[in-house]
Amino acid sequence: MKQEEKSLIIDAIAKDLADYPHVYITDISGFTVDTVNQLRRQCYRRNIKLKVVKNTLLKRAMDQSSVDYSEIYPALKGVSSIMLSETGNAPAKLIKEFRTKLRNKPLVKAAFIEECTYFGDDQLDYLCAIKSREELIGDLVGLLQSPARNVISALQSGGGKLAGIVKTLSER
């Protein structure tokens, strides 16, 4: 591969890293072409970008990035692919679901989510449990609305009781 081709690939990977805040480095070695195509289709449906990359080119692209990916470098060994996503837990959920069809693949080598690094395939359940930004905002809004709802329902039910008491007293 010529240096010009390598620089174009590095620039494309660097652009993808800049466009997507969440990066998973996975191992899909041993997959047939058909299996990789199935994985790509599922990734496409869930707005996840899947690329098979060379480790040296990925490392160079990460070096160009404004984000510090240096903690991930030890995971760049063997066959690597990257999964890029807007949602932090979407690739983990896809991997877990895809594993129901296949035994142990794809493997999670490392993940970079919200400026935190996770290593190893044993982190998959934890990565699935991470809530997205939208889910966290929804939880927060629900928590903030809960006390207000309690006060309103107490006032509404209390008003009915108070009116009933006043009516009973006036009849006596």
Side-chain angles (χ1 to χ4, degrees), residues 108-125:
V108 176
K109 291 181 173 182
F112 186 82
I113 301 169
E114 301 294 336
E115 300 181 9
C116 295
T117 307
Y118 303 90
F119 282 100
D121 198 53
D122 57 330
Q123 299 287 319
L124 185 63
D125 290 330

Side-chain angles (χ1 to χ4, degrees), residues 30-41 50 98 102 105:
F31 276 13
T32 62
V33 173
D34 184 49
T35 308
V36 172
N37 287 337
Q38 288 175 13
L39 181 61
R40 284 184 196 274
R41 276 187 227 107
L50 174 69
F98 201 76
L102 301 170
K105 295 279 183 160

Side-chain angles (χ1 to χ4, degrees), residues 6 11 17 33 36 52 56 63 67 69 89 96 100 127 133 138 163 167:
K6 286 181 182 179
D11 291 342
L17 290 173
V33 173
V36 172
V52 178
T56 54
D63 286 338
V67 179
Y69 291 107
N89 62 358
K96 194 168 189 175
T100 58
L127 292 170
R133 182 175 186 264
K167 184 177 178 184

Side-chain angles (χ1 to χ4, degrees), residues 22-24 46 48 83 85-97 111-114 118 124-136:
H22 308 292
V23 179
Y24 282 69
R46 298 179 188 198
I48 299 170
M83 295 176 112
S85 174
E86 292 287 333
T87 308
N89 62 358
K93 288 180 179 179
L94 174 68
I95 289 169
K96 194 168 189 175
E97 180 183 310
F112 186 82
I113 301 169
E114 301 294 336
Y118 303 90
L124 185 63
D125 290 330
Y126 180 73
L127 292 170
C128 287
I130 291 176
K131 291 190 176 187
S132 68
R133 182 175 186 264
E134 290 77 21
E135 291 171 329
L136 289 173

Side-chain angles (χ1 to χ4, degrees), residues 53-114:
V53 294
K54 286 190 170 189
N55 292 325
T56 54
L57 299 179
L58 177 59
K59 186 175 184 231
R60 287 183 187 169
M62 287 179 166
D63 286 338
Q64 286 183 3
S65 176
S66 60
V67 179
D68 181 23
Y69 291 107
S70 61
E71 292 180 24
I72 291 181
Y73 293 165
L76 298 178
K77 294 178 182 168
V79 179
S80 295
S81 62
I82 55 173
M83 295 176 112
L84 305 158
S85 174
E86 292 287 333
T87 308
N89 62 358
K93 288 180 179 179
L94 174 68
I95 289 169
K96 194 168 189 175
E97 180 183 310
F98 201 76
R99 281 187 181 179
T100 58
K101 298 173 187 169
L102 301 170
R103 294 182 192 141
N104 300 358
K105 295 279 183 160
L107 296 174
V108 176
K109 291 181 173 182
F112 186 82
I113 301 169
E114 301 294 336

